[in-house]
Amino acid sequence: GEDVEQSLFLSVREGDSSVINCTYTDSSSTYLYWYKQEPGAGLQLLTYIFSNMDMKQDQRLTVLLNKKDKHLSLRIADTQTGDSAIYFCAESRGILTGGGNKLTFGTGTQLKVEL
Amino acid sequence: NAGVTQTPKFQVLKTGQSMTLQCAQDMNHEYMSWYRQDPGMGLRLIHYSVGAGITDQGEVPNGYNVSRSTTEDFPLRLLSAAPSQTSVYFCASSDFPGGGTEAFFGQGTRLTVV
Protein backbone atom coordinates (compact mmCIF):
# COMPACT_ATOMS: atom_id res chain seq x y z
CA GLY A 1 0.00 0.00 0.00
CA GLU A 2 0.91 3.63 0.01
CA ASP A 3 3.47 4.83 2.51
CA VAL A 4 4.59 8.39 3.25
CA GLU A 5 7.51 9.11 5.56
CA GLN A 6 8.83 12.25 7.22
CA SER A 7 11.30 13.03 9.94
CA LEU A 8 9.57 13.86 13.22
CA PHE A 9 11.36 17.04 14.28
CA LEU A 10 13.16 20.05 12.82
CA SER A 11 14.55 23.01 14.70
CA VAL A 12 15.68 26.24 12.99
CA ARG A 13 16.56 29.77 14.00
CA GLU A 14 14.28 32.64 13.12
CA GLY A 15 15.26 34.13 9.76
CA ASP A 16 16.88 30.93 8.49
CA SER A 17 15.38 28.71 5.83
CA SER A 18 13.61 25.50 6.82
CA VAL A 19 13.56 22.44 4.63
CA ILE A 20 11.10 19.69 5.46
CA ASN A 21 11.51 16.45 3.58
CA CYS A 22 9.10 13.68 2.65
CA THR A 23 9.41 10.39 0.80
CA TYR A 24 6.59 8.34 -0.63
CA THR A 25 6.31 4.92 -2.17
CA ASP A 26 3.29 5.08 -4.45
CA SER A 27 4.45 5.67 -8.01
CA SER A 28 0.83 6.38 -8.97
CA SER A 29 0.67 9.44 -6.75
CA THR A 30 -0.84 12.21 -8.79
CA TYR A 31 -1.00 15.05 -6.29
CA LEU A 32 1.33 15.80 -3.41
CA TYR A 33 0.34 18.19 -0.66
CA TRP A 34 1.74 20.07 2.27
CA TYR A 35 -0.57 20.76 5.20
CA LYS A 36 0.13 22.81 8.32
CA GLN A 37 -1.32 22.07 11.73
CA GLU A 38 -1.07 24.64 14.50
CA PRO A 39 -1.58 23.55 18.12
CA GLY A 40 -5.16 22.56 18.88
CA ALA A 41 -6.31 23.18 15.32
CA GLY A 42 -7.20 21.21 12.23
CA LEU A 43 -5.03 20.92 9.15
CA GLN A 44 -4.71 23.76 6.70
CA LEU A 45 -3.58 23.30 3.12
CA LEU A 46 -0.37 25.22 2.39
CA THR A 47 0.28 24.16 -1.17
CA TYR A 48 0.18 21.21 -3.50
CA ILE A 49 2.02 20.06 -6.60
CA PHE A 50 0.91 17.96 -9.52
CA SER A 51 3.16 15.01 -10.27
CA ASN A 52 4.22 16.31 -13.68
CA MET A 53 5.79 19.38 -12.07
CA ASP A 54 9.18 19.51 -10.38
CA MET A 55 8.90 22.84 -8.62
CA LYS A 56 6.28 25.21 -7.36
CA GLN A 57 6.87 28.53 -5.62
CA ASP A 58 4.37 30.52 -3.60
CA GLN A 59 5.76 33.52 -1.72
CA ARG A 60 8.03 32.12 1.02
CA LEU A 61 7.21 28.52 0.14
CA THR A 62 9.05 26.43 -2.44
CA VAL A 63 8.04 22.85 -3.18
CA LEU A 64 10.49 20.57 -4.94
CA LEU A 65 9.47 17.19 -6.35
CA ASN A 66 11.89 14.50 -7.47
CA LYS A 67 9.55 11.96 -8.98
CA LYS A 68 12.32 9.50 -9.81
CA ASP A 69 13.38 9.30 -6.15
CA LYS A 70 9.81 9.84 -4.87
CA HIS A 71 11.07 12.72 -2.74
CA LEU A 72 9.17 15.88 -1.89
CA SER A 73 10.46 18.87 0.04
CA LEU A 74 9.02 22.08 1.42
CA ARG A 75 11.34 25.04 1.84
CA ILE A 76 10.20 27.95 3.99
CA ALA A 77 12.31 31.05 3.45
CA ASP A 78 12.91 33.53 6.28
CA THR A 79 11.29 31.25 8.84
CA GLN A 80 9.30 33.08 11.52
CA THR A 81 8.09 32.03 14.97
CA GLY A 82 4.57 31.90 13.52
CA ASP A 83 5.74 29.06 11.27
CA SER A 84 6.14 26.79 14.30
CA ALA A 85 3.68 23.96 13.69
CA ILE A 86 3.43 20.39 12.48
CA TYR A 87 3.80 20.00 8.72
CA PHE A 88 2.22 17.03 7.00
CA CYS A 89 3.09 15.69 3.61
CA ALA A 90 0.23 13.87 1.85
CA GLU A 91 -0.36 12.18 -1.46
CA SER A 92 -3.35 11.14 -3.48
CA ARG A 93 -4.00 9.50 -6.76
CA GLY A 94 -6.93 11.81 -7.35
CA ILE A 95 -9.80 10.35 -9.30
CA LEU A 96 -7.78 7.32 -10.43
CA THR A 97 -8.43 5.53 -7.14
CA GLY A 98 -12.15 5.51 -7.74
CA GLY A 99 -12.40 6.71 -4.17
CA GLY A 100 -12.24 10.39 -4.79
CA ASN A 101 -9.70 12.57 -3.14
CA LYS A 102 -8.35 10.00 -0.69
CA LEU A 103 -5.26 11.32 1.05
CA THR A 104 -2.43 9.32 2.58
CA PHE A 105 -0.56 11.35 5.18
CA GLY A 106 2.95 11.20 6.51
CA THR A 107 3.66 11.19 10.23
CA GLY A 108 4.15 14.95 10.32
CA THR A 109 7.27 17.04 11.06
CA GLN A 110 7.23 19.25 14.14
CA LEU A 111 8.96 22.51 13.18
CA LYS A 112 10.31 24.55 16.06
CA VAL A 113 11.52 28.06 15.33
CA GLU A 114 13.93 29.47 17.90
CA LEU A 115 14.82 33.11 18.45
CA ASN B 1 -18.97 30.67 6.21
CA ALA B 2 -18.63 27.84 8.74
CA GLY B 3 -16.69 25.30 6.62
CA VAL B 4 -16.41 21.96 8.45
CA THR B 5 -17.89 21.82 11.94
CA GLN B 6 -17.17 19.01 14.36
CA THR B 7 -18.86 18.39 17.69
CA PRO B 8 -18.01 17.83 20.44
CA LYS B 9 -14.50 19.28 20.79
CA PHE B 10 -13.68 17.09 23.78
CA GLN B 11 -15.18 13.86 25.08
CA VAL B 12 -14.36 11.32 27.78
CA LEU B 13 -15.96 7.90 27.51
CA LYS B 14 -15.88 4.79 29.63
CA THR B 15 -14.86 1.53 28.02
CA GLY B 16 -17.87 -0.05 26.35
CA GLN B 17 -19.86 3.14 25.93
CA SER B 18 -21.05 4.23 22.51
CA MET B 19 -21.18 7.70 21.04
CA THR B 20 -21.45 9.62 17.79
CA LEU B 21 -19.01 12.26 16.61
CA GLN B 22 -20.80 14.79 14.47
CA CYS B 23 -19.43 16.40 11.30
CA ALA B 24 -21.20 18.91 9.10
CA GLN B 25 -20.03 20.95 6.12
CA ASP B 26 -21.75 23.80 4.32
CA MET B 27 -19.67 23.85 1.13
CA ASN B 28 -21.75 21.29 -0.79
CA HIS B 29 -18.75 18.98 -1.01
CA GLU B 30 -19.31 15.47 -2.25
CA TYR B 31 -16.29 13.88 -0.59
CA MET B 32 -16.08 13.56 3.19
CA SER B 33 -13.76 11.54 5.36
CA TRP B 34 -12.81 10.75 8.93
CA TYR B 35 -9.23 10.49 10.17
CA ARG B 36 -7.69 9.73 13.51
CA GLN B 37 -4.45 11.36 14.57
CA ASP B 38 -2.08 9.56 16.91
CA PRO B 39 1.41 10.68 17.99
CA GLY B 40 4.11 9.60 15.55
CA MET B 41 1.57 8.05 13.18
CA GLY B 42 0.18 11.00 11.27
CA LEU B 43 -3.43 10.86 10.15
CA ARG B 44 -5.00 7.55 9.28
CA LEU B 45 -8.18 7.25 7.25
CA ILE B 46 -11.06 5.56 9.07
CA HIS B 47 -13.99 5.84 6.63
CA TYR B 48 -14.86 8.01 3.69
CA SER B 49 -17.81 8.88 1.51
CA VAL B 50 -17.93 10.01 -2.10
CA GLY B 51 -21.53 11.19 -1.89
CA ALA B 52 -24.81 10.80 -0.06
CA GLY B 53 -25.66 7.14 0.43
CA ILE B 54 -22.14 5.93 -0.40
CA THR B 55 -19.51 5.06 2.20
CA ASP B 56 -16.38 2.95 2.20
CA GLN B 57 -13.70 1.78 4.60
CA GLY B 58 -10.34 3.38 4.97
CA GLU B 59 -7.17 2.12 6.59
CA VAL B 60 -8.44 1.63 10.17
CA PRO B 61 -12.23 1.06 10.08
CA ASN B 62 -12.64 -1.50 12.87
CA GLY B 63 -14.81 -0.32 15.76
CA TYR B 64 -16.33 2.56 13.78
CA ASN B 65 -19.47 2.96 11.69
CA VAL B 66 -20.49 5.78 9.37
CA SER B 67 -23.50 6.79 7.33
CA ARG B 68 -24.13 9.56 4.81
CA SER B 69 -27.82 10.31 4.54
CA THR B 70 -27.26 13.90 3.38
CA THR B 71 -24.50 15.75 1.55
CA GLU B 72 -23.89 17.95 4.58
CA ASP B 73 -23.52 15.43 7.40
CA PHE B 74 -21.14 12.54 7.99
CA PRO B 75 -21.37 11.21 11.57
CA LEU B 76 -18.87 8.72 12.97
CA ARG B 77 -20.18 6.18 15.47
CA LEU B 78 -18.12 4.33 18.05
CA LEU B 79 -20.07 1.18 18.85
CA SER B 80 -18.27 0.06 22.00
CA ALA B 81 -15.44 2.41 22.96
CA ALA B 82 -12.02 0.94 23.77
CA PRO B 83 -8.91 2.64 25.21
CA SER B 84 -7.19 2.07 21.83
CA GLN B 85 -9.67 4.54 20.36
CA THR B 86 -8.26 7.37 22.46
CA SER B 87 -7.18 9.80 19.76
CA VAL B 88 -7.91 13.08 18.03
CA TYR B 89 -10.49 12.69 15.28
CA PHE B 90 -10.67 14.93 12.25
CA CYS B 91 -13.40 15.21 9.68
CA ALA B 92 -12.56 16.59 6.23
CA SER B 93 -14.45 17.46 3.10
CA SER B 94 -13.46 18.30 -0.46
CA ASP B 95 -14.84 18.55 -3.93
CA PHE B 96 -15.30 15.30 -5.81
CA PRO B 97 -13.87 13.93 -8.10
CA GLY B 98 -11.07 15.72 -6.31
CA GLY B 99 -7.40 15.55 -7.00
CA GLY B 100 -5.55 18.81 -6.54
CA THR B 101 -8.44 20.25 -4.62
CA GLU B 102 -8.19 21.38 -1.06
CA ALA B 103 -9.46 19.17 1.72
CA PHE B 104 -10.99 21.32 4.46
CA PHE B 105 -10.60 20.02 7.97
CA GLY B 106 -12.67 20.50 11.08
CA GLN B 107 -11.08 21.58 14.37
CA GLY B 108 -10.97 18.04 15.67
CA THR B 109 -12.54 16.05 18.50
CA ARG B 110 -10.23 14.94 21.29
CA LEU B 111 -11.57 11.64 22.61
CA THR B 112 -10.31 9.88 25.72
CA VAL B 113 -11.55 6.38 26.57
CA VAL B 114 -10.91 5.30 30.15
Side-chain angles (χ1 to χ4, degrees), chain A residues 33 35 37 48 88 95 99-100 102, chain B residues 31 37 40 90 96-97 99-100 103:
Chain A
Y33 305 80
Y35 280 85
Q37 183 184 33
Y48 72 91
F88 288 94
I95 62 172
K102 193 161 59 172
Chain B
Y31 186 81
Q37 182 181 21
F90 288 100
F96 182 74

Side-chain angles (χ1 to χ4, degrees), chain A residues 8 31 33 35 37 40-45 48 86 88 92 94-95 98-103 105-108, chain B residues 31 35 37 40-43 45 48 50 57 90 94-108:
Chain A
L8 291 180
Y31 298 92
Y33 305 80
Y35 280 85
Q37 183 184 33
L43 278 69
Q44 181 184 14
L45 179 67
Y48 72 91
I86 301 175
F88 288 94
S92 83
I95 62 172
N101 196 15
K102 193 161 59 172
L103 297 168
F105 285 87
T107 54
Chain B
Y31 186 81
Y35 293 86
Q37 182 181 21
M41 300 188 75
L43 277 78
L45 183 65
Y48 66 96
V50 299
Q57 296 181 349
F90 288 100
S94 63
D95 284 333
F96 182 74
T101 61
E102 180 173 359
F104 293 84
F105 284 79
Q107 294 295 301

Side-chain angles (χ1 to χ4, degrees), chain B residues 51-53 67-75:
Chain B
S67 60
R68 186 92 179 272
S69 56
T70 67
T71 299
E72 294 77 21
D73 300 299
F74 190 43

Side-chain angles (χ1 to χ4, degrees), chain B:
Chain B
N1 189 359
V4 179
T5 303
Q6 286 182 240
T7 55
K9 286 190 171 56
F10 301 94
Q11 183 71 50
V12 178
L13 288 178
K14 292 183 179 179
T15 297
Q17 286 185 314
S18 62
M19 80 159 294
T20 299
L21 280 63
Q22 301 292 343
C23 175
Q25 53 95 5
D26 61 0
M27 297 171 283
N28 202 33
H29 286 163
E30 292 290 337
Y31 186 81
M32 296 185 75
S33 51
W34 276 101
Y35 293 86
R36 58 178 289 173
Q37 182 181 21
D38 300 294
M41 300 188 75
L43 277 78
R44 292 181 291 169
L45 183 65
I46 305 171
H47 285 284
Y48 66 96
S49 168
V50 299
I54 306 168
T55 63
D56 207 346
Q57 296 181 349
E59 182 185 352
V60 288
N62 293 341
Y64 307 95
N65 272 1
V66 292
S67 60
R68 186 92 179 272
S69 56
T70 67
T71 299
E72 294 77 21
D73 300 299
F74 190 43
L76 177 73
R77 279 183 289 278
L78 280 71
L79 307 172
S80 177
S84 61
Q85 294 178 304
T86 293
S87 187
V88 181
Y89 291 85
F90 288 100
C91 178
S93 76
S94 63
D95 284 333
F96 182 74
T101 61
E102 180 173 359
F104 293 84
F105 284 79
Q107 294 295 301
T109 297
R110 187 173 293 274
L111 175 68
T112 302
V113 182
V114 297

